[in-house]
Amino acid sequence: MKALLTLLVLFLSGCAQTPAIRGTGDLGIVIERASGRVAIVDTTARSVLARVDGLGDLSHASAVFSRDGRYAYVFGRDGGLTKIDLLLGRIAKRVIQAGNSIGGAISQDGRLVVAQNYTPGGIKVFDAATLELLSEVPTGSKVVGLADLPGQRFAYALFDAGEIWLTDLSNPREPRTQKFPAGRQPYDGLVTPDGRHYMAGLFGEDGIALLDAWRPEAGARKILENYGRGEEKLPVFKMPHLRGWAVAGGRAYLPAIGRHEVLVVDTATWREVGRIAVKGQPVFVMARPDSRQIWVNFAFPNNGWVQVIDTPSNQIVQTLQPGKAILHMEFTPRGEEVWLSARDDNMVGIYDTATFTRKATLAADSPSGIFFTSRAHRTGF
Amino acid sequence: MKLALPALTFLAVPLAAAAVEAGEPAPARQRELIHLVRQDCGSCHGMKLTGGLGSPLTAEALRDKPLEGLEATIHGGRPGTAMPPWKTILSESEIQWIVHKLMTGFPTE
């Protein structure tokens, strides 16, 4: 009897220490940028599970996930790369890898994490398990738009040099890089969901540079050339962001630069097939995972608005004012809800994407990026 | 004297008082400006103003630069670069106040 009691006590105290067994498919993180902290969230319960401090300067932070969905790799402005254990709610490893960083990506096999840096300009390759530095590719230019491609390759663009570089990391200690002229001042890039086409949006000229990663030797070509038709540009108070979510139902929906428009391109011909007038300079133009809707947020001073485009008709079907300074949007894995961060209202609003009603509100300190683990299995995220 | 006319017509209510007096912005407006610089200038220059797509705006980085040039950059932007013109958002006196604060170490929120 006494032995049994001891066993019972051991068992109970064991339970108190070990977190309950659970999956991570419905987890994610919200960057609380002003306080150098991330909130670990549960998209099923619509709740915050834990907060993790000590991540440094998180202005313009972004994150990728390990393919087991357990770890988030957060890239901070100050060059910090932090690996967070979502289940234990704590930092697993943290390194300062550069002076000024802008984001990163994870390889096809999940074994390499690559950071893209402004100063010193270049990419750095890390072992995803240990964050040991394996190699680097200096560029002498600010790196933007880093994206993972099939075959342990990474594509990225050079803001100052106007080039797209394609680096093969099949041997991660010996990167092999091809370089292609792209156009003036690429500001961000994306890879299509199939991993085939890399696009770099251009700031210094009208157009998008397009590289077919199945035939890189053909070089980058320009699409949407002269979409501004020589008209004077409106000021761009915040740079748009590009990612594979732009592609929906055989079309790519892309932010125009200096025009309050979303440009629509047919991905079979790469020709413009439409443009949609919107409320401001688009920042994120994101397809719901089923491609039926495109959600758009805007640069200052129109960053209190969010608009929704219906893809079959290319019409705006909803205009929302979800809060002050909407910085980011993230869909739940299959898109029935979208989470919106309202920086100046210190909250995240969770919306039903069919009815556009708010289902829940979570308090968050100056929230910016929202990243869910469903990104772990998408090329280009 | 170039007056901040676009600012007056564009965002008349909060800016009018400050622009007319051409002195220090009122305390409430100062708080708004600090927020704007840290957060919205911060999207290019970094929340800590240590630089990003835009150059660093720390007191150290700006030390040897002429005031008027910095003010003109904020007012009119820098064509050919990503620095946009803020003249529709900020009055002359607000720009002067921001540059003064940048040169002496920008306040935190």
Side-chain angles (χ1 to χ4, degrees):
Chain A
M1 180 66 204
K2 196 164 171 214
L4 198 79
L5 240 165
T6 320
L7 248 178
L8 194 72
V9 168
L10 268 176
F11 176 70
L12 285 175
S13 61
C15 286
Q17 276 155 23
T18 320
I21 291 178
R22 62 158 300 155
T24 61
D26 56 358
L27 299 187
I29 61 170
V30 174
I31 308 282
E32 296 187 286
R33 68 181 218 159
S35 35
R37 188 166 70 185
V38 305
I40 298 175
V41 295
D42 176 332
T43 58
T44 305
R46 303 190 192 105
S47 66
V48 174
L49 296 180
R51 287 195 150 86
V52 182
D53 280 297
L55 278 83
D57 181 354
L58 293 182
S59 38
H60 211 296
S62 68
V64 297
F65 293 93
S66 62
R67 75 189 218 174
D68 64 4
R70 175 163 179 180
Y71 299 99
Y73 299 89
V74 180
F75 305 89
R77 166 68 80 195
D78 55 4
L81 166 56
T82 312
K83 180 176 178 180
I84 294 175
D85 185 328
L86 300 179
L87 288 176
L88 296 182
R90 64 177 189 222
I91 294 177
K93 181 94 191 170
R94 175 171 161 83
V95 296
I96 300 291
Q97 56 87 22
N100 197 312
S101 179
I102 181 76
I106 188 160
S107 62
Q108 182 177 35
D109 67 2
R111 292 177 199 277
L112 306 174
V113 168
V114 181
Q116 56 178 336
N117 298 324
Y118 278 172
T119 5
I123 62 166
K124 284 195 177 176
V125 183
F126 298 89
D127 181 316
T130 61
L131 299 191
E132 180 204 348
L133 178 67
L134 300 177
S135 60
E136 50 190 301
V137 181
T139 56
S141 169
K142 295 188 186 90
V143 176
V144 298
L146 177 70
D148 55 291
L149 262 49
Q152 298 292 93
R153 290 179 301 168
F154 290 82
Y156 46 102
L158 274 48
F159 181 81
D160 317 276
E163 292 177 354
I164 293 173
W165 287 19
L166 190 60
T167 296
D168 185 333
L169 292 173
S170 355
N171 181 350
R173 291 189 188 271
E174 276 171 39
R176 281 180 299 135
T177 301
Q178 292 169 279
K179 306 170 185 179
F180 310 94
R184 293 197 51 205
Q185 296 171 323
Y187 64 87
D188 201 0
L190 71 89
V191 61
T192 50
D194 57 8
R196 174 168 177 182
H197 290 99
Y198 179 78
M199 297 188 213
L202 302 176
F203 179 81
E205 63 183 286
D206 288 347
I208 304 246
L210 177 73
L211 182 74
D212 181 351
W214 289 7
R215 296 174 51 242
E217 60 284 356
R221 65 181 168 115
K222 225 163 275 171
I223 61 167
L224 287 176
E225 253 178 308
N226 195 30
Y227 64 76
R229 308 179 186 119
E231 290 165 29
E232 194 172 338
K233 281 191 165 46
L234 298 164
V236 178
F237 291 112
K238 182 176 177 154
M239 283 292 174
H241 286 273
L242 303 176
R243 212 46 49 120
W245 54 56
V247 180
R251 289 167 169 189
Y253 291 79
L254 299 162
I257 292 281
R259 300 177 70 86
H260 295 176
E261 286 173 347
V262 170
L263 308 172
V264 190
V265 179
D266 183 324
T267 57
T269 61
W270 299 108
R271 291 230 166 77
E272 180 181 329
V273 291
R275 45 179 77 192
I276 302 156
V278 290
K279 269 215 168 276
Q281 168 65 54
V283 174
F284 286 98
V285 179
M286 297 175 115
R288 198 172 68 175
D290 67 346
S291 296
R292 179 64 205 263
Q293 297 175 343
I294 308 286
W295 287 58
V296 188
N297 77 335
F298 303 101
F300 178 91
N302 297 311
N303 54 9
W305 301 97
V306 168
Q307 290 191 298
V308 183
I309 299 165
D310 169 65
T311 48
S313 63
N314 279 351
Q315 299 291 314
I316 300 219
V317 289
Q318 190 66 223
T319 298
L320 300 164
Q321 277 186 290
K324 279 194 268 171
I326 303 297
L327 290 196
H328 199 214
M329 312 183 280
E330 179 85 336
F331 291 97
T332 50
R334 297 193 190 181
E336 81 290 353
E337 288 178 358
V338 64
W339 289 38
L340 307 175
S341 53
R343 183 193 70 202
D344 292 353
D345 279 337
N346 293 307
M347 58 95 176
V348 171
I350 303 173
Y351 283 76
D352 183 311
T353 59
T355 61
F356 307 108
T357 51
R358 188 184 292 190
K359 306 287 270 203
T361 305
L362 299 179
D365 191 8
S366 202
S368 57
I370 307 176
F371 305 89
F372 295 158
T373 54
S374 43
R375 289 174 178 243
H377 305 127
R378 295 174 77 182
T379 295
F381 287 80
Chain B
M1 161 95 187
K2 245 198 301 165
L3 245 173
L5 273 179
L8 286 173
T9 47
F10 197 78
L11 266 185
V13 186
L15 298 184
V20 169
E21 287 163 20
E24 283 227 322
R29 181 62 182 159
Q30 288 187 17
R31 278 193 298 280
E32 283 174 22
L33 293 176
I34 293 169
H35 184 71
L36 176 97
V37 171
R38 291 262 167 215
Q39 302 295 332
D40 295 299
C41 309
S43 76
C44 288
H45 292 280
M47 241 167 20
K48 304 206 164 143
L49 306 176
T50 47
L53 192 64
S55 38
L57 298 180
T58 52
E60 165 91 286
L62 298 181
R63 197 174 44 204
D64 299 324
K65 312 224 162 152
L67 283 178
E68 306 73 49
L70 298 173
E71 288 167 13
T73 297
I74 299 173
H75 180 87
R78 263 195 206 153
T81 79
M83 173 64 184
W86 290 85
K87 57 178 179 249
T88 53
I89 311 283
L90 300 169
S91 70
E92 289 292 335
S93 60
E94 288 173 338
I95 290 173
Q96 283 165 10
W97 184 82
I98 288 171
V99 169
H100 172 71
K101 290 290 170 191
L102 287 173
M103 306 288 287
T104 50
F106 203 79
T108 46
E109 283 191 65

